[in-house]
Structure formats: structure tokens, C-alpha cells
Amino acid sequence: MWWLVTPGNPLKDPGQLAPLDERIAQARRVATDPRIIVTGFEAAIGSRYTVETLVWLRRHRPDLRFVWIMGADSLGSFHRWRRFEEIARLMPIAVIDRPGHTLAAPAARAARRYADARLPEFEAPALPSRKPPAWVFLHGPRSALSSTALRAGRSA
């Protein structure tokens, strides 16, 4: 799993962000599983938007089957992301349940837009091989950990 630490979220105040190298170091302290690779490569490729990153990945690694992973909290604003419909057509999406978003996320504007592309949770293992748009909402242990809490030096 690649944990992409963004150079900046266009939907958030850039003045609230710590420098990229600090945020990468914070993410690495949290990502203790050796299967998680924390990277800030979006800055190196000059990507400002998720859609640009996903296009780059598809172009440079056509041999891999990617799944975009987002928190259920992000699904609520997904329709505001630059070219969100293209993102949904580029690769399957796994939405991870987050505290306070279990009921709201599936009712989000983007979730309703792609309701017919939603897979039942038990089909999640097949997601990498599904032709997009395809997405699944994954329930399970929920973490209250957030980038805001990490920046504040808290664990929740």
C-alpha cells in the first residue's frame, strides 16, 4: 500500500499545513506495517490534484492494478474534487468507514452518483480486477486518527 502524502490539498487552507517532509515523517511514525510505503512523490511529479496523480500512475505503471483508497469522510466532499468523475473512471475505489461517517458517506452526492457501481462489501477482494467505475464501502475497526490530529501531535 502506498500512503501518498500530498504536497497540499486544494480544498484546505495551505497555511494550516506543516512542511511536506514533516508530514511524511509523521505518517511514517504511524505506518508501522512494513507493507505500507509512505511517499511524497506527488511533489516530485508536480501533481497538484488526485486526478493528475492517478493519470500519472496509470501511464507509468500500466502493469499494476491500482485501487484508490479514501476515508468515508472524504467521500462527502469527493464531488468537489477536480474532475472527480474522471477519478472514478480511472480506477476502482475503496472507501474506508470512519467514525461519524458510517451513515452519511453512502448518502453523499458522489456515492449517489455512482450507486450502480457500488459493490457489496463481500466482493471487495475482487475490486482490483473490476473495471471502473467500481467502488466498495468497507466497514470494520474504525480509526479516529486524522491528519489534523497528527499535525496537532495527538493520536486521536
Side-chain angles (χ1 to χ4, degrees):
M1 176 186 297
W2 297 346
W3 179 339
L4 306 180
V5 180
T6 181
N9 181 334
L11 296 178
K12 294 185 179 178
D13 177 3
Q16 299 297 313
L17 286 178
L20 181 60
D21 58 340
E22 287 180 29
R23 291 183 288 121
I24 290 171
Q26 289 172 330
R28 285 186 175 142
R29 284 192 292 275
V30 173
T32 57
D33 190 309
R35 296 171 293 180
I36 300 173
I37 299 168
V38 176
T39 178
F41 91 94
E42 286 180 302
I45 66 170
S47 176
R48 181 161 156 76
Y49 299 98
T50 299
V51 68
E52 295 168 351
T53 301
L54 303 188
V55 166
W56 190 95
L57 287 170
R58 295 280 307 266
R59 184 179 306 125
H60 289 86
R61 294 306 307 261
D63 54 315
L64 296 179
R65 292 181 289 175
F66 291 99
V67 173
W68 179 255
I69 301 172
M70 72 166 63
D73 50 332
S74 293
L75 186 59
S77 64
F78 187 48
H79 67 280
R80 295 177 46 218
W81 293 23
R82 176 165 292 203
R83 298 172 18 213
F84 84 96
E85 291 178 327
E86 185 176 348
I87 293 170
R89 289 190 310 269
L90 280 168
M91 64 184 59
I93 301 171
V95 178
I96 310 299
D97 195 8
R98 298 268 300 171
H101 298 277
T102 302
L103 299 176
R109 185 171 165 182
R112 291 190 320 268
R113 164 71 176 84
Y114 291 103
D116 60 336
R118 183 177 176 183
L119 303 174
E121 193 168 4
F122 70 86
E123 289 187 30
L127 196 58
S129 62
R130 297 298 283 251
K131 184 176 187 258
W135 69 284
V136 66
F137 190 82
L138 298 173
H139 299 85
R142 292 176 291 177
S143 172
L145 191 62
S146 69
S147 58
T148 302
L150 286 172
R151 285 190 298 275
R154 301 185 312 263
S155 61

PDB file of all heavy atoms in Angstrom, residues 11 14 19 29 38 40 43 48 61 79 83 93-94 109 112 120 122 126 133 141 149-150:
ATOM      1  N   LEU A  11      -8.484  21.931  -1.364  1.00  0.00           N
ATOM      2  CA  LEU A  11      -9.720  22.256  -0.659  1.00  0.00           C
ATOM      3  C   LEU A  11      -9.471  22.731   0.770  1.00  0.00           C
ATOM      4  O   LEU A  11     -10.409  23.018   1.497  1.00  0.00           O
ATOM      5  CB  LEU A  11     -10.652  21.029  -0.634  1.00  0.00           C
ATOM      6  CG  LEU A  11     -11.147  20.541  -1.995  1.00  0.00           C
ATOM      7  CD1 LEU A  11     -12.004  19.297  -1.842  1.00  0.00           C
ATOM      8  CD2 LEU A  11     -11.911  21.634  -2.720  1.00  0.00           C
ATOM      9  N   PRO A  14      -3.752  26.239   2.791  1.00  0.00           N
ATOM     10  CA  PRO A  14      -2.351  25.810   2.767  1.00  0.00           C
ATOM     11  C   PRO A  14      -1.550  26.303   3.969  1.00  0.00           C
ATOM     12  O   PRO A  14      -0.542  25.708   4.335  1.00  0.00           O
ATOM     13  CB  PRO A  14      -1.804  26.383   1.457  1.00  0.00           C
ATOM     14  CG  PRO A  14      -2.773  27.416   1.018  1.00  0.00           C
ATOM     15  CD  PRO A  14      -4.084  27.114   1.675  1.00  0.00           C
ATOM     16  N   PRO A  19       5.287  21.598   6.737  1.00  0.00           N
ATOM     17  CA  PRO A  19       6.084  21.270   5.550  1.00  0.00           C
ATOM     18  C   PRO A  19       5.953  19.789   5.187  1.00  0.00           C
ATOM     19  O   PRO A  19       5.764  18.931   6.061  1.00  0.00           O
ATOM     20  CB  PRO A  19       7.512  21.617   5.976  1.00  0.00           C
ATOM     21  CG  PRO A  19       7.341  22.641   7.058  1.00  0.00           C
ATOM     22  CD  PRO A  19       6.069  22.243   7.777  1.00  0.00           C
ATOM     23  N   ARG A  29       5.849   7.491  11.112  1.00  0.00           N
ATOM     24  CA  ARG A  29       5.767   7.061  12.513  1.00  0.00           C
ATOM     25  C   ARG A  29       4.475   6.288  12.768  1.00  0.00           C
ATOM     26  O   ARG A  29       4.441   5.385  13.603  1.00  0.00           O
ATOM     27  CB  ARG A  29       5.868   8.274  13.447  1.00  0.00           C
ATOM     28  CG  ARG A  29       7.279   8.814  13.582  1.00  0.00           C
ATOM     29  CD  ARG A  29       7.407   9.813  14.711  1.00  0.00           C
ATOM     30  NE  ARG A  29       6.694  11.056  14.486  1.00  0.00           N
ATOM     31  CZ  ARG A  29       7.177  12.092  13.810  1.00  0.00           C
ATOM     32  NH1 ARG A  29       8.386  12.039  13.292  1.00  0.00           N
ATOM     33  NH2 ARG A  29       6.462  13.193  13.666  1.00  0.00           N
ATOM     34  N   VAL A  38       5.237   4.983   2.723  1.00  0.00           N
ATOM     35  CA  VAL A  38       4.851   6.391   2.791  1.00  0.00           C
ATOM     36  C   VAL A  38       5.690   7.153   1.765  1.00  0.00           C
ATOM     37  O   VAL A  38       6.911   7.010   1.745  1.00  0.00           O
ATOM     38  CB  VAL A  38       5.075   6.964   4.209  1.00  0.00           C
ATOM     39  CG1 VAL A  38       4.769   8.454   4.234  1.00  0.00           C
ATOM     40  CG2 VAL A  38       4.221   6.211   5.224  1.00  0.00           C
ATOM     41  N   GLY A  40       5.997  10.933  -0.735  1.00  0.00           N
ATOM     42  CA  GLY A  40       5.577  12.274  -1.123  1.00  0.00           C
ATOM     43  C   GLY A  40       5.835  12.500  -2.604  1.00  0.00           C
ATOM     44  O   GLY A  40       6.066  13.623  -3.033  1.00  0.00           O
ATOM     45  N   ALA A  43       4.785  15.507  -5.121  1.00  0.00           N
ATOM     46  CA  ALA A  43       5.554  16.750  -5.266  1.00  0.00           C
ATOM     47  C   ALA A  43       6.608  16.585  -6.356  1.00  0.00           C
ATOM     48  O   ALA A  43       6.827  17.494  -7.162  1.00  0.00           O
ATOM     49  CB  ALA A  43       6.203  17.129  -3.937  1.00  0.00           C
ATOM     50  N   ARG A  48      -0.736  18.351  -8.484  1.00  0.00           N
ATOM     51  CA  ARG A  48      -1.463  19.173  -7.517  1.00  0.00           C
ATOM     52  C   ARG A  48      -2.814  18.556  -7.178  1.00  0.00           C
ATOM     53  O   ARG A  48      -3.371  18.810  -6.122  1.00  0.00           O
ATOM     54  CB  ARG A  48      -1.639  20.568  -8.102  1.00  0.00           C
ATOM     55  CG  ARG A  48      -2.358  21.529  -7.215  1.00  0.00           C
ATOM     56  CD  ARG A  48      -2.113  22.963  -7.619  1.00  0.00           C
ATOM     57  NE  ARG A  48      -3.168  23.859  -7.198  1.00  0.00           N
ATOM     58  CZ  ARG A  48      -3.356  24.296  -5.967  1.00  0.00           C
ATOM     59  NH1 ARG A  48      -2.567  23.893  -5.013  1.00  0.00           N
ATOM     60  NH2 ARG A  48      -4.333  25.125  -5.679  1.00  0.00           N
ATOM     61  N   ARG A  61       2.784   3.006 -14.774  1.00  0.00           N
ATOM     62  CA  ARG A  61       2.721   1.638 -14.242  1.00  0.00           C
ATOM     63  C   ARG A  61       1.495   0.900 -14.785  1.00  0.00           C
ATOM     64  O   ARG A  61       0.636   0.457 -14.023  1.00  0.00           O
ATOM     65  CB  ARG A  61       2.706   1.660 -12.717  1.00  0.00           C
ATOM     66  CG  ARG A  61       3.968   2.183 -12.063  1.00  0.00           C
ATOM     67  CD  ARG A  61       5.267   1.478 -12.504  1.00  0.00           C
ATOM     68  NE  ARG A  61       5.252   0.049 -12.391  1.00  0.00           N
ATOM     69  CZ  ARG A  61       5.791  -0.658 -11.387  1.00  0.00           C
ATOM     70  NH1 ARG A  61       6.377  -0.021 -10.402  1.00  0.00           N
ATOM     71  NH2 ARG A  61       5.729  -1.959 -11.384  1.00  0.00           N
ATOM     72  N   HIS A  79     -17.292  14.973  -4.558  1.00  0.00           N
ATOM     73  CA  HIS A  79     -17.881  15.640  -5.730  1.00  0.00           C
ATOM     74  C   HIS A  79     -17.258  17.016  -5.987  1.00  0.00           C
ATOM     75  O   HIS A  79     -17.410  17.572  -7.068  1.00  0.00           O
ATOM     76  CB  HIS A  79     -19.404  15.767  -5.570  1.00  0.00           C
ATOM     77  CG  HIS A  79     -19.821  16.695  -4.481  1.00  0.00           C
ATOM     78  ND1 HIS A  79     -19.823  16.325  -3.141  1.00  0.00           N
ATOM     79  CD2 HIS A  79     -20.214  17.992  -4.517  1.00  0.00           C
ATOM     80  CE1 HIS A  79     -20.215  17.351  -2.410  1.00  0.00           C
ATOM     81  NE2 HIS A  79     -20.463  18.377  -3.216  1.00  0.00           N
ATOM     82  N   ARG A  83     -12.239  17.113 -11.293  1.00  0.00           N
ATOM     83  CA  ARG A  83     -12.509  16.001 -12.223  1.00  0.00           C
ATOM     84  C   ARG A  83     -12.782  14.678 -11.482  1.00  0.00           C
ATOM     85  O   ARG A  83     -12.276  13.631 -11.840  1.00  0.00           O
ATOM     86  CB  ARG A  83     -11.362  15.881 -13.218  1.00  0.00           C
ATOM     87  CG  ARG A  83     -11.246  17.134 -14.053  1.00  0.00           C
ATOM     88  CD  ARG A  83     -10.068  17.291 -14.979  1.00  0.00           C
ATOM     89  NE  ARG A  83      -9.297  16.167 -15.357  1.00  0.00           N
ATOM     90  CZ  ARG A  83      -7.977  16.213 -15.593  1.00  0.00           C
ATOM     91  NH1 ARG A  83      -7.320  17.355 -15.489  1.00  0.00           N
ATOM     92  NH2 ARG A  83      -7.323  15.138 -15.951  1.00  0.00           N
ATOM     93  N   ILE A  93     -12.356   2.227  -6.423  1.00  0.00           N
ATOM     94  CA  ILE A  93     -12.190   2.988  -5.183  1.00  0.00           C
ATOM     95  C   ILE A  93     -12.677   2.168  -3.996  1.00  0.00           C
ATOM     96  O   ILE A  93     -13.771   1.600  -4.040  1.00  0.00           O
ATOM     97  CB  ILE A  93     -12.969   4.320  -5.244  1.00  0.00           C
ATOM     98  CG1 ILE A  93     -12.476   5.181  -6.415  1.00  0.00           C
ATOM     99  CG2 ILE A  93     -12.874   5.076  -3.922  1.00  0.00           C
ATOM    100  CD1 ILE A  93     -13.325   6.405  -6.692  1.00  0.00           C
ATOM    101  N   ALA A  94     -11.871   2.127  -2.948  1.00  0.00           N
ATOM    102  CA  ALA A  94     -12.273   1.532  -1.673  1.00  0.00           C
ATOM    103  C   ALA A  94     -12.479   2.681  -0.691  1.00  0.00           C
ATOM    104  O   ALA A  94     -11.587   3.511  -0.505  1.00  0.00           O
ATOM    105  CB  ALA A  94     -11.208   0.583  -1.152  1.00  0.00           C
ATOM    106  N   ARG A 109     -23.176  12.881  -2.172  1.00  0.00           N
ATOM    107  CA  ARG A 109     -23.502  13.164  -3.577  1.00  0.00           C
ATOM    108  C   ARG A 109     -22.776  12.223  -4.552  1.00  0.00           C
ATOM    109  O   ARG A 109     -23.382  11.679  -5.469  1.00  0.00           O
ATOM    110  CB  ARG A 109     -23.146  14.624  -3.868  1.00  0.00           C
ATOM    111  CG  ARG A 109     -23.531  15.095  -5.223  1.00  0.00           C
ATOM    112  CD  ARG A 109     -23.340  16.595  -5.303  1.00  0.00           C
ATOM    113  NE  ARG A 109     -23.371  17.053  -6.670  1.00  0.00           N
ATOM    114  CZ  ARG A 109     -23.195  18.303  -7.028  1.00  0.00           C
ATOM    115  NH1 ARG A 109     -22.972  19.224  -6.106  1.00  0.00           N
ATOM    116  NH2 ARG A 109     -23.228  18.656  -8.280  1.00  0.00           N
ATOM    117  N   ARG A 112     -24.131   8.665  -4.334  1.00  0.00           N
ATOM    118  CA  ARG A 112     -25.404   8.531  -5.064  1.00  0.00           C
ATOM    119  C   ARG A 112     -25.162   8.522  -6.568  1.00  0.00           C
ATOM    120  O   ARG A 112     -25.796   7.760  -7.297  1.00  0.00           O
ATOM    121  CB  ARG A 112     -26.355   9.667  -4.679  1.00  0.00           C
ATOM    122  CG  ARG A 112     -26.869   9.577  -3.248  1.00  0.00           C
ATOM    123  CD  ARG A 112     -27.999  10.560  -2.952  1.00  0.00           C
ATOM    124  NE  ARG A 112     -27.852  11.869  -3.541  1.00  0.00           N
ATOM    125  CZ  ARG A 112     -27.284  12.923  -2.950  1.00  0.00           C
ATOM    126  NH1 ARG A 112     -26.809  12.801  -1.722  1.00  0.00           N
ATOM    127  NH2 ARG A 112     -27.199  14.085  -3.560  1.00  0.00           N
ATOM    128  N   PRO A 120     -21.044  -4.982  -3.314  1.00  0.00           N
ATOM    129  CA  PRO A 120     -21.250  -5.399  -1.922  1.00  0.00           C
ATOM    130  C   PRO A 120     -19.889  -5.619  -1.252  1.00  0.00           C
ATOM    131  O   PRO A 120     -18.912  -5.971  -1.909  1.00  0.00           O
ATOM    132  CB  PRO A 120     -22.027  -6.715  -2.037  1.00  0.00           C
ATOM    133  CG  PRO A 120     -22.125  -7.043  -3.470  1.00  0.00           C
ATOM    134  CD  PRO A 120     -21.550  -5.929  -4.277  1.00  0.00           C
ATOM    135  N   PHE A 122     -18.636  -7.893   0.491  1.00  0.00           N
ATOM    136  CA  PHE A 122     -18.000  -9.210   0.364  1.00  0.00           C
ATOM    137  C   PHE A 122     -17.258  -9.363  -0.963  1.00  0.00           C
ATOM    138  O   PHE A 122     -16.436 -10.262  -1.118  1.00  0.00           O
ATOM    139  CB  PHE A 122     -19.016 -10.345   0.570  1.00  0.00           C
ATOM    140  CG  PHE A 122     -20.020 -10.509  -0.535  1.00  0.00           C
ATOM    141  CD1 PHE A 122     -19.738 -11.282  -1.647  1.00  0.00           C
ATOM    142  CD2 PHE A 122     -21.258  -9.901  -0.457  1.00  0.00           C
ATOM    143  CE1 PHE A 122     -20.668 -11.440  -2.663  1.00  0.00           C
ATOM    144  CE2 PHE A 122     -22.196 -10.047  -1.463  1.00  0.00           C
ATOM    145  CZ  PHE A 122     -21.898 -10.815  -2.580  1.00  0.00           C
ATOM    146  N   ALA A 126     -12.246  -8.564  -5.022  1.00  0.00           N
ATOM    147  CA  ALA A 126     -12.236  -8.516  -6.492  1.00  0.00           C
ATOM    148  C   ALA A 126     -12.068  -7.096  -7.027  1.00  0.00           C
ATOM    149  O   ALA A 126     -11.921  -6.907  -8.238  1.00  0.00           O
ATOM    150  CB  ALA A 126     -13.533  -9.120  -7.027  1.00  0.00           C
ATOM    151  N   PRO A 133     -16.116   2.603 -13.489  1.00  0.00           N
ATOM    152  CA  PRO A 133     -16.243   2.888 -12.070  1.00  0.00           C
ATOM    153  C   PRO A 133     -16.703   1.662 -11.285  1.00  0.00           C
ATOM    154  O   PRO A 133     -17.585   0.923 -11.727  1.00  0.00           O
ATOM    155  CB  PRO A 133     -17.286   4.001 -12.001  1.00  0.00           C
ATOM    156  CG  PRO A 133     -18.106   3.838 -13.246  1.00  0.00           C
ATOM    157  CD  PRO A 133     -17.182   3.239 -14.275  1.00  0.00           C
ATOM    158  N   PRO A 141     -12.974  -2.149  12.022  1.00  0.00           N
ATOM    159  CA  PRO A 141     -12.484  -1.287  13.089  1.00  0.00           C
ATOM    160  C   PRO A 141     -12.258   0.112  12.521  1.00  0.00           C
ATOM    161  O   PRO A 141     -11.629   0.270  11.481  1.00  0.00           O
ATOM    162  CB  PRO A 141     -11.163  -1.926  13.508  1.00  0.00           C
ATOM    163  CG  PRO A 141     -11.254  -3.336  13.033  1.00  0.00           C
ATOM    164  CD  PRO A 141     -12.134  -3.305  11.818  1.00  0.00           C
ATOM    165  N   ALA A 149      -5.291  15.618  13.620  1.00  0.00           N
ATOM    166  CA  ALA A 149      -4.775  15.155  14.914  1.00  0.00           C
ATOM    167  C   ALA A 149      -3.275  14.914  14.858  1.00  0.00           C
ATOM    168  O   ALA A 149      -2.557  15.241  15.803  1.00  0.00           O
ATOM    169  CB  ALA A 149      -5.520  13.889  15.341  1.00  0.00           C
ATOM    170  N   LEU A 150      -2.809  14.366  13.743  1.00  0.00           N
ATOM    171  CA  LEU A 150      -1.365  14.140  13.610  1.00  0.00           C
ATOM    172  C   LEU A 150      -0.603  15.457  13.671  1.00  0.00           C
ATOM    173  O   LEU A 150       0.434  15.561  14.340  1.00  0.00           O
ATOM    174  CB  LEU A 150      -1.043  13.428  12.284  1.00  0.00           C
ATOM    175  CG  LEU A 150      -1.400  11.961  12.216  1.00  0.00           C
ATOM    176  CD1 LEU A 150      -1.198  11.442  10.792  1.00  0.00           C
ATOM    177  CD2 LEU A 150      -0.571  11.150  13.199  1.00  0.00           C
TER     178      LEU A 150
END
